[in-house]
Amino acid sequence: MAETGTGTGAGTTPRERYRAQVRTEIKERAWEQIAAAGASALSLNAIAKQMGMSGPALYRYFGSRDDLITALIRDAYRSLADAVRAAAGSGADLPALAHTLRGWALADPQRYFLVYGTPVPGYHAPDDITAIASEIMAAMLDTFVDLPAHGGPETPFEAHLGDHRAWAADHPAPNAVLHRALSFWTRLHGVLSLELAGHFTGMTFDPALLFDAELNSLIQPDLG
Amino acid sequence: MAETGTGTGAGTTPRERYRAQVRTEIKERAWEQIAAAGASALSLNAIAKQMGMSGPALYRYFGSRDDLITALIRDAYRSLADAVRAAAGSGADLPALAHTLRGWALADPQRYFLVYGTPVPGYHAPDDITAIASEIMAAMLDTFVDLPAHGGPETPFEAHLGDHRAWAADHPAPNAVLHRALSFWTRLHGVLSLELAGHFTGMTFDPALLFDAELNSLIQPDLG
DNA sequence: TGTACATCAGTGAACGCGCGTTCACTGATGTAC
DNA sequence: TGTACATCAGTGAACGCGCGTTCACTGATGTAC
């Protein structure tokens, strides 16, 4: 049936370039639909109509609706991984990494929720996507790895981490640093997702300042 | 058209009791469907079939599919508000309140996500639901209000809160306490929602311990 | 450079499906006298 | 206690709809000789 995937290979014929271009446009229209009405409202026929072609034509590019959605999820993870990796790779410090994350989230809230939002019961992401998820964690850890150790006795969770740090196998950071990286992730996600979901709307404060305050709690825990 | 709502009034006739009972069963089946396949898969006809009645019969109880979903969202908020209020009202301390929250979330993850998950673009909750949301915040603040002040200079966000604390109008707590209440909310939501969405699955640590560590960061900020 | 053939993007008709919702109706339950 | 009437839960047929997906096809683009 339909050959549906093409990498970003270099030796591209005109036809391959065309295919890639149409695939890209399909995904762009899909993102517009998701931004407008949520991922569950995504419709292949509507995308086709919007592109001025018939519904079945899309099956040249994606094997099914599920395939398309999976591709979108993969792109979302990929985009986040690239953003985080770029920040970490260029030697960004924690605040820079945090603001990269926030910028990426605000740029397209529904894309953020496709990664971190309500899970669809029964959906299992393919392996290559979970691999990108690990990549994101690894890139974050890169930013923490040079961090000066923070005094204080080992906490229960840090002790527990001692037996459960396979996910950070490549990083020789002490347990306390792994813990801080996890807190970085969960705390920033906490503020961000509540902000994006509109839960601060009634209160009038500036979410950016709360975000920075949470960020600060990770840098100077004693002023928490 | 269909009289669709009945309060929890006391002077109930048998007919009213029957109505309330059927409404309740419809919602129970709806929750089952949501737990199985997510809120977007909810189908009136499927619920009717499951209850052994015809599709149109449901319109005696809910004006439309949207009405049913709104009722479910309202019930979710109501349930959370009751849980938090019960904890706060019985003089629970921060850890007890936090564990109440976690228990409520784990009891039905999809219900949690109906409150805090991916928002549907364009959906605006009716006023009575946002009122319950305020109630939740108020009950949380009740637990913080007696908290001993924490030394240290005022942070930028706390200063900012000075101008934006109308949402806490009933609570004379200092800005620093409001800030801590907000952090309580965002941090616990951060860990919880990542846990419920399965983002810790690959890593093998116990989410409950990370949750407790985050909780601890709110109680003894100096131990980070 | 031209011809013969293979590839493949896109079309249009058709499929079955389940959805939400309306409508006119039947029959049981409750109420008034 | 019995009769006449009103209420109202639930039915079954029917509506239009848009969905995902299949299939046999046309016609343009690319390839081989």
Side-chain angles (χ1 to χ4, degrees):
Chain A
M1 280 283 133
E3 249 314 308
T4 194
T6 338
T8 35
T12 56
T13 68
R15 248 189 193 155
E16 283 168 345
R17 260 181 279 123
Y18 178 77
R19 273 188 69 78
Q21 188 178 313
V22 175
R23 268 180 74 92
T24 299
E25 183 175 351
I26 292 170
K27 291 196 278 192
E28 277 168 5
R29 299 283 163 272
W31 283 116
E32 290 170 11
Q33 279 195 21
I34 289 176
S40 66
L42 190 152
S43 146
L44 291 190
N45 289 325
I47 292 174
K49 184 175 296 181
Q50 220 177 114
M51 291 178 64
M53 57 204 293
S54 72
L58 295 202
Y59 285 78
R60 290 273 162 200
Y61 300 93
F62 295 93
S64 68
R65 195 190 108 111
D66 269 13
D67 281 9
L68 172 56
I69 291 184
T70 298
L72 296 175
I73 294 177
R74 185 172 10 245
D75 285 0
Y77 271 90
R78 183 74 269 147
S79 164
L80 176 55
D82 290 347
V84 170
R85 200 181 260 299
S90 67
D93 56 0
L94 254 49
L97 180 62
H99 290 123
T100 294
L101 197 65
R102 186 173 139 92
W104 185 84
L106 290 175
D108 190 340
Q110 285 293 323
R111 184 180 56 179
Y112 183 89
F113 284 119
L114 218 51
V115 173
Y116 289 121
T118 309
V120 177
Y123 176 82
H124 261 24
D127 287 349
D128 69 303
I129 290 185
T130 57
I132 305 178
S134 308
E135 206 181 299
I136 293 169
M137 273 310 296
M140 279 182 159
L141 278 176
D142 284 341
T143 308
F144 280 84
V145 91
D146 298 328
L147 226 62
H150 243 276
E154 194 177 48
T155 67
F157 181 65
E158 285 161 21
H160 176 72
L161 265 186
D163 294 330
H164 301 276
R165 40 175 301 153
W167 52 277
D170 299 345
H171 292 268
N175 297 334
V177 170
L178 292 194
H179 183 189
R180 286 185 70 190
L182 285 174
S183 293
F184 180 86
W185 186 28
T186 63
R187 286 186 200 177
L188 298 188
H189 165 69
V191 215
L192 258 181
S193 76
L194 288 176
E195 172 185 2
L196 296 177
H199 288 282
F200 298 153
T201 306
M203 324 167 168
T204 59
F205 62 78
D206 180 358
L209 295 181
L210 179 55
F211 182 86
D212 284 340
E214 281 303 282
L215 171 56
N216 210 49
S217 78
L218 292 154
I219 299 173
Q220 311 185 329
D222 45 317
L223 299 184
Chain B
M1 280 285 134
E3 250 314 310
T4 194
T6 340
T8 35
T12 56
T13 68
R15 250 192 193 152
E16 283 167 346
R17 259 182 280 123
Y18 179 76
R19 274 187 68 78
Q21 189 177 313
V22 175
R23 270 179 72 93
T24 298
E25 184 175 351
I26 292 172
K27 292 196 279 193
E28 276 169 7
R29 298 284 163 271
W31 282 116
E32 288 171 11
Q33 279 195 21
I34 289 176
S40 67
L42 190 152
S43 144
L44 291 190
N45 288 326
I47 292 173
K49 184 176 297 182
Q50 220 177 115
M51 291 178 63
M53 57 203 295
S54 74
L58 295 202
Y59 285 78
R60 291 272 161 201
Y61 301 93
F62 295 93
S64 69
R65 195 190 109 111
D66 269 13
D67 281 9
L68 172 56
I69 292 184
T70 298
L72 296 175
I73 295 176
R74 185 173 10 246
D75 285 0
Y77 271 90
R78 182 75 268 148
S79 163
L80 176 55
D82 290 348
V84 170
R85 200 182 260 298
S90 66
D93 56 0
L94 254 49
L97 180 61
H99 290 123
T100 294
L101 197 65
R102 186 173 140 92
W104 184 84
L106 289 175
D108 189 342
Q110 285 293 323
R111 184 180 56 178
Y112 183 89
F113 284 119
L114 218 51
V115 173
Y116 289 122
T118 308
V120 177
Y123 177 83
H124 260 25
D127 287 349
D128 68 304
I129 290 185
T130 58
I132 304 178
S134 308
E135 205 182 300
I136 294 169
M137 273 310 295
M140 279 182 161
L141 279 176
D142 284 342
T143 308
F144 280 85
V145 91
D146 298 327
L147 227 61
H150 241 276
E154 196 177 48
T155 68
F157 181 66
E158 285 161 20
H160 175 72
L161 265 186
D163 295 330
H164 302 275
R165 40 175 300 152
W167 52 277
D170 298 345
H171 292 267
N175 296 335
V177 170
L178 291 193
H179 183 187
R180 286 186 69 191
L182 284 174
S183 294
F184 180 86
W185 186 28
T186 64
R187 285 186 201 176
L188 298 188
H189 166 68
V191 215
L192 257 182
S193 76
L194 287 176
E195 173 184 2
L196 296 177
H199 288 280
F200 298 152
T201 307
M203 325 168 168
T204 58
F205 62 78
D206 180 358
L209 296 180
L210 178 55
F211 183 86
D212 284 341
E214 282 303 283
L215 171 56
N216 210 49
S217 78
L218 292 154
I219 299 174
Q220 313 185 330
D222 45 316
L223 298 185

